[in-house]
Amino acid sequence: MKRFDAIVIGGGLVGSAIAYGLAREGLRTALLDEGDVAYRASRGNFGLVWVQSKGDGVPHYQRWTRRSADEWPALAAELLARTGISAGHERPGGVHLCLSEAELEARHAMMERMRTQSGNFGFEYRMLDHRELADMLRGLGPSVIGASYTPYDGHANPLNLLHALHKGFVERGGSYIPNTSVADAKAAPGDFRIAIADGEIGAPKVVLAAGLGNASLAPLFGLNSPVRPQRGQILVTERAQRVLPMPTTTIRQTVEGGIMLGDSQEDVGFDTSQKPSVMQTIAHRAVLSFPWLRDLQIVRAWAALRVMPPDGLPIYDQSEHFPGAFAANCHSGVTLAGAHANVFAPMVAAGALDASLALFSAKRFDVPAAA
Amino acid sequence: MFRLRPEGTPATIAVIVEGRTIHVAAGASAAAAVLAAGFRSIRETPVEGSERAPYCMMGVCFDCLAEIDGVPNRQSCMVEARPGMQIRRQIRARKVDPSPQ
């Protein structure tokens, strides 16, 4: 049996960021990637590094997201220096466009709640009216009443990030094992054996980062990851000269010039098909926001499945039955990559999750039995 | 770079490639017209500005992007040449005019 210091199950953005961080900590790490039979959320996402709407009523999630966005520049610079691959990260701030007074009011109320909840940590936001916004964003449509802005938001190229993490992981001595499903797993405290196609591998630590696959893997390790799929659809235009200086929640222009339009939230199970009615809604809202988008050709469109915990917040746990087994699940693999590589992985390497992550435990889903 | 096959369909359709009149066979694509005109590339990429020529000629590779009758970034291999069609090379990213109409 081949032995490692840690085995990460799941080669998407969550698993790759953690595996990269573990390899950097000096752990001999194996990264198992299932292959194209998996749902591959990391190959279908929108690419925001997004802070402003995360964590209303959940200050610890607000802090965690912000921390990750703060780690992003260092991670991107390190990956570029070590792999030559740019993750295309920019942090110009971001806006959420509101197309009605009701939307704007609700948004303002939410931003103010988040500021209050942030306490001394602070939450710097501004509400912009149409005129202020039109000065920032050329060609803003008259239907846009206003927007919320924070300086924390940004975006990146998720495929380049994934490529850079894989390359950086291998370059730091990690063992990337592609096209590999977990056939069987044996768990004991600090002793995990994973059966894969060409034998068994073992390690004192295992990290479950298999996205939707965690739901069935977690119980084998005394963990709980009740995640479900949520479909999102995206449209992409032809490349055009850069016009948009910053991303909005649903419209962003990539470094290369293509404009991505999202993002639907559909509960349809494991169905990755596209629906014209949803695509129409996405395009319609985009054209109301920026009428000049009307002239651009859509060159690609796809649907992918978010990895959604019941309350939408990440799940981080270490198994009580089998210490050494960790779970990491979230729908924000791009945004949280900074925290996963630079904060979460060192905790796993040290053998204990920080108390600040305790609130992300899946224990929050266990309702105590009534007395 | 390319010569038309002498036994091929006669070149009867006149299109305009970068201001020059070029004759191609009925049914030929706009991309074929650009190749027949002798250009070594049909576009310059949006980011690096490096040259590209039509490659797959079947609508897959997107390397034959050209401005056809004023519409930028068209896949010229999928567009049939028509008499009088104006074809220009696609130089880097297409322009957009975000000013209110």
Side-chain angles (χ1 to χ4, degrees):
Chain A
M1 181 182 66
K2 186 144 194 218
R3 290 202 64 87
F4 295 91
D5 297 326
I7 297 167
V8 178
I9 301 175
L13 282 171
V14 175
S16 302
I18 294 169
Y20 175 79
L22 292 176
R24 186 177 49 197
E25 294 291 316
L27 274 66
R28 285 179 303 119
T29 305
L31 177 59
L32 307 185
D33 199 357
E34 188 169 25
D36 286 336
V37 295
Y39 282 97
R40 297 275 206 211
S42 297
R43 279 139 172 99
N45 47 28
F46 194 61
L48 293 176
V49 179
W50 204 246
V51 175
Q52 68 166 274
S53 40
K54 308 252 180 80
D56 178 19
V58 198
H60 57 283
Y61 183 37
Q62 190 189 130
R63 285 195 296 275
W64 182 243
T65 292
R66 202 110 127 254
R67 174 129 191 226
S68 191
D70 289 344
E71 292 291 340
W72 245 99
L75 178 63
E78 182 183 297
L79 289 171
L80 177 62
R82 296 192 74 101
T83 68
I85 299 167
S86 167
H89 178 244
E90 294 180 336
R91 198 186 196 186
V95 288
H96 177 84
L97 306 182
C98 298
L99 301 187
S100 71
E101 289 293 350
E103 275 183 32
L104 189 65
E105 255 173 58
R107 188 71 181 182
H108 193 176
M110 186 189 90
M111 299 302 275
E112 186 51 29
R113 279 197 306 274
M114 288 179 63
R115 192 190 64 75
T116 308
Q117 292 156 7
S118 71
N120 289 341
F121 183 65
F123 183 69
E124 196 185 308
Y125 78 93
R126 280 197 296 144
M127 298 304 295
L128 306 170
D129 64 20
H130 178 88
R131 252 193 33 210
E132 290 172 283
L133 197 57
D135 285 342
M136 288 163 58
L137 304 173
R138 288 161 64 206
L140 187 71
S143 307
V144 181
I145 310 282
S148 59
Y149 163 87
T150 83
Y152 313 122
D153 305 301
H155 56 159
N157 181 324
L159 296 177
N160 284 1
L161 170 64
L162 187 62
H163 185 194
L165 287 169
H166 280 191
K167 193 172 172 188
F169 171 69
V170 171
E171 186 254 355
R172 286 186 182 274
S175 300
Y176 174 68
I177 307 176
N179 303 312
T180 297
S181 301
V182 172
D184 191 22
K186 291 182 198 133
D191 179 16
F192 301 95
R193 289 146 198 240
I194 312 290
I196 57 177
D198 52 352
E200 201 177 51
I201 57 175
K205 289 193 171 84
V206 63
V207 180
L208 309 185
L212 292 165
N214 266 17
S216 58
L217 277 176
L220 304 177
F221 298 86
L223 290 159
N224 179 30
S225 287
V227 289
R228 65 181 165 80
Q230 183 194 62
R231 188 170 69 190
Q233 295 184 56
I234 289 174
L235 315 179
V236 183
T237 73
E238 62 186 299
R239 290 177 176 185
Q241 72 180 107
R242 283 200 91 184
V243 176
L244 294 175
M246 63 176 63
T248 83
T249 319
T250 59
I251 302 168
R252 74 179 194 94
Q253 187 167 24
T254 68
V255 178
E256 296 82 12
I259 297 173
M260 301 182 64
L261 314 174
D263 61 337
S264 61
Q265 298 173 0
E266 308 160 69
D267 287 309
V268 290
F270 289 88
D271 175 0
T272 55
S273 63
Q274 295 168 268
K275 286 285 169 294
S277 59
V278 175
M279 298 163 79
Q280 194 173 26
T281 303
I282 290 171
H284 179 66
R285 209 179 149 92
V287 167
L288 284 178
S289 303
F290 298 104
W292 48 270
L293 287 175
R294 194 189 306 271
D295 295 333
L296 296 184
Q297 305 172 66
I298 300 295
V299 293
R300 279 192 301 285
W302 66 82
L305 300 179
R306 290 187 192 85
V307 179
M308 200 52 87
D311 55 5
L313 308 179
I315 296 171
Y316 302 113
D317 259 321
Q318 177 166 199
S319 173
E320 287 179 359
H321 296 294
F322 307 114
F326 297 83
N329 262 133
C330 69
H331 65 79
S332 299
V334 180
T335 299
L336 294 178
H340 290 156
N342 291 0
V343 186
F344 185 82
M347 292 178 193
V348 171
L353 298 186
D354 195 83
S356 63
L357 290 189
L359 290 166
F360 288 113
S361 167
K363 280 189 210 137
R364 66 185 188 265
F365 305 122
D366 301 335
V367 178
Chain B
M1 189 157 54
F2 295 95
R3 276 181 294 118
L4 297 175
R5 294 166 67 102
E7 75 281 17
T9 318
T12 54
I13 308 290
V15 300
I16 299 139
V17 180
E18 293 286 349
R20 264 174 58 205
T21 300
I22 300 294
H23 288 86
V24 293
S29 68
V34 173
L35 294 174
F39 286 96
R40 65 177 237 126
S41 71
I42 195 168
R43 70 179 184 117
E44 294 175 11
T45 58
V47 179
E48 312 256 330
S50 87
E51 289 181 283
R52 293 289 187 275
Y55 180 61
C56 75
M57 296 296 270
M58 59 181 197
V60 174
C61 76
F62 282 74
D63 260 335
C64 65
L65 299 179
E67 184 184 306
I68 298 177
D69 289 336
V71 180
N73 275 342
R74 294 200 64 188
Q75 282 180 281
S76 62
C77 74
M78 303 306 286
V79 178
E80 190 175 326
R82 298 283 178 203
M85 180 179 270
Q86 292 274 355
I87 306 166
R88 307 191 80 86
R89 297 166 70 239
Q90 179 68 44
I91 306 303
R92 306 196 76 145
R94 67 160 287 172
K95 304 286 181 281
V96 291
D97 179 12
S99 56
Q101 280 95 34

